[in-house]
Amino acid sequence: QASSDEQMTSQTLKTYAQYTLTGANAVELNEWARRLATRMRRDDIVRNVAAETFEGGLRVFVDVDREKTGRLGVNMQQIDDTLNDAFGQRQISTIYAQSNQYRVILEAGPQFQNDAGSLGKLFVNGAGGAQVPLETLARITRTTAPLAVAHQDQFPSATVSFDLATHASLGDAVDEMARAQADIGMPGSITGSFSADAAEFQRSLATQPWLILAAVVTIYLVLGVLYESFAHPFTILTTLPSAGVGALLALMAMGHDLSVVALIGIVLLMGIVKKNAIMMIDFALEAERRDGLSPEESILRACRLRFRPIMMTTLAALFGALPLALATGDGSELRAPLGVTIIGGLVLSQLLTLYTTPVIYLRVERLREKLGFDRNRWLAAGGEPEARGAPGAAE
């Protein structure tokens, strides 16, 4: 979701979001745009709904009677020339002065250009130089026409613009737009796509899962190189779900939407919360290699000795995010989701990972043993225990 307080596009818009319909038939397209706008006006999620079809322009249609023009010796080129002379601003000459030049324009007088009835006063040259009134050669009909015909991807388009209601998110509006199209039964020949901030929101959501997956894979590879193991990086990554759940619960409790800034906070949490597991597992692995302790003894010692630095680093990050979450004033609505996300993720992950990480560590170690991993050979490769009476020193 995204909040209406954030604008992601640089262009000036009359409304916050726009939904553009495209189709091959402009008349059908405008009709469905009006139906969609009428349906959206009944929703409480959006407001200021308008169908920008640019209709209502005045048009005069001149339907020429070809048989009558033929009998009177008038051709279509003469009719076109007469209309162009009256309303086309045809340049017929240039007057040259000593220091300037002036173009001579042939057109009807201004008093005749604003009234469609003046078409009946035009005369066309007929056979033998006779002047034939245009209204005797054609049927003049007043109709309406679009003021402008918008195009998108070379197809006629119509835009439905809207703003978000109070406490409504852009994600809700996107879902409501899909429901509105289903309710009115929009045909498959009409396709729609979001523009303005709504389009930016959809594009950002489309790439977020891949960005999070890339971050997780990168973390796994770095930890795998660090510990020379495929198993324990997974143990560290198990701390990430609790941080994500905590961030979402905090956003819901504080009434914030899952905006792009909140997603940035979740990615930031991925680098913060895993340090709890790193501190414990790194110490436990070192105790196994150097002192020859069993997995149970090593993780128990790690929990005891690393509890203080874990709490200190977590509280330092938590209190550092408090100003973001509690700040007021201009721009606070953009920074607050970031602080709330960090605080919520740290609190829940801190409460859970202190208990779950040792359990997962032991489960992974037992799985390694079931798969035939030789712990004594691993101790010899990683470093012999120090000769001080530690378990495994005589192996």
Side-chain angles (χ1 to χ4, degrees):
Q1 301 180 14
S3 172
S4 60
D5 296 324
E6 306 166 19
Q7 181 169 336
M8 292 176 282
T9 56
S10 59
Q11 59 182 355
T12 303
L13 304 174
K14 294 184 293 184
T15 56
Y16 177 66
Q18 295 177 341
Y19 189 77
T20 303
L21 301 175
T22 57
N25 191 324
V27 177
E28 180 187 17
L29 178 68
N30 293 334
E31 176 63 25
W32 283 106
R34 287 192 296 269
R35 293 185 184 183
L36 181 61
T38 302
R39 168 61 179 80
M40 293 295 293
R41 292 190 184 99
R42 300 200 299 265
D43 297 328
D44 298 330
I45 297 177
V46 296
R47 55 186 177 87
N48 300 333
V49 180
E52 300 178 5
T53 55
F54 303 104
E55 292 185 323
L58 299 179
R59 177 173 63 177
V60 176
F61 184 75
V62 180
D63 186 10
V64 179
D65 189 342
R66 300 300 180 96
E67 293 184 3
K68 186 177 293 186
T69 56
R71 290 196 304 267
L72 297 177
V74 179
N75 56 48
M76 287 299 302
Q77 185 62 45
Q78 292 174 317
I79 297 177
D80 291 340
D81 292 341
T82 301
L83 293 175
N84 189 22
D85 292 342
F87 306 105
Q89 295 186 347
R90 171 179 291 181
Q91 180 180 348
I92 60 174
S93 178
T94 303
I95 300 176
Y96 296 95
Q98 293 182 353
S99 60
N100 207 341
Q101 61 183 16
Y102 305 91
R103 295 177 177 87
V104 179
I105 304 299
L106 176 64
E107 62 180 3
Q111 67 273 20
F112 301 110
Q113 294 183 2
N114 298 324
D115 184 11
S118 61
L119 289 173
K121 302 177 182 180
L122 295 178
F123 291 83
V124 182
N125 291 327
Q131 296 293 311
V132 182
L134 179 62
E135 59 185 359
T136 63
L137 300 175
R139 183 166 57 89
I140 301 174
T141 307
R142 300 189 182 189
T143 61
T144 60
L147 297 173
V149 179
H151 288 80
Q152 179 171 302
D153 298 333
Q154 298 182 354
F155 287 97
S157 64
T159 300
V160 177
S161 58
F162 59 90
D163 287 323
L164 297 180
T166 306
H167 304 301
S169 65
L170 185 55
D172 296 335
V174 171
D175 297 337
E176 187 59 33
M177 183 65 73
R179 288 192 293 268
Q181 292 185 76
D183 292 342
I184 64 176
M186 184 173 294
S189 59
I190 306 296
T191 59
S193 61
F194 283 95
S195 55
D197 284 1
E200 295 293 336
F201 168 70
Q202 285 193 322
R203 282 193 288 268
S204 65
L205 285 187
T207 57
Q208 284 302 324
W210 296 105
L211 293 177
I212 294 177
L213 178 62
V216 172
V217 171
T218 303
I219 293 173
Y220 181 85
L221 294 177
V222 172
L223 293 176
V225 173
L226 176 63
Y227 296 121
E228 299 179 355
S229 170
F230 293 102
H232 289 301
F234 169 77
T235 306
I236 297 174
L237 291 178
T238 56
T239 61
L240 301 182
S242 61
V245 173
L248 295 178
L249 293 177
L251 290 173
M252 295 173 59
M254 299 302 295
H256 294 290
D257 298 322
L258 182 58
S259 60
V260 176
V261 177
L263 288 173
I264 295 175
I266 293 177
V267 176
L268 182 61
L269 273 176
M270 297 173 63
I272 298 177
V273 300
K274 63 182 178 59
K275 53 89 182 173
N276 296 348
I278 290 177
M279 287 184 178
M280 287 189 289
I281 293 177
D282 185 72
F283 188 91
L285 291 177
E286 189 67 18
E288 288 189 46
R289 291 176 178 176
R290 296 182 56 188
D291 300 336
L293 299 181
S294 64
E296 292 82 359
E297 294 173 337
S298 62
I299 195 63
L300 180 60
R301 179 186 291 185
C303 292
R304 289 174 178 174
L305 298 181
R306 290 301 186 182
F307 178 76
R308 181 185 296 177
I310 287 175
M311 292 300 299
M312 291 177 62
T313 54
T314 300
L315 291 176
L318 191 147
F319 286 117
L322 277 179
L324 293 175
L326 302 179
T328 58
D330 296 338
S332 60
E333 67 279 356
L334 184 64
R335 299 187 296 268
L338 180 61
V340 171
T341 301
I342 295 176
I343 293 175
L346 285 176
V347 170
L348 186 61
S349 64
Q350 184 71 24
L351 295 176
L352 295 180
T353 55
L354 290 177
Y355 299 97
T356 60
T357 301
V359 175
I360 296 175
Y361 177 83
L362 294 178
R363 292 289 184 182
V364 170
E365 285 294 330
R366 291 172 184 174
L367 180 61
R368 288 156 60 93
E369 293 179 0
K370 289 182 180 181
L371 295 178
F373 177 75
D374 190 347
R375 182 170 178 271
N376 293 331
R377 185 186 304 170
W378 173 72
L379 286 173
E384 290 289 349
E386 294 181 359
R388 55 184 181 186
E395 296 179 1

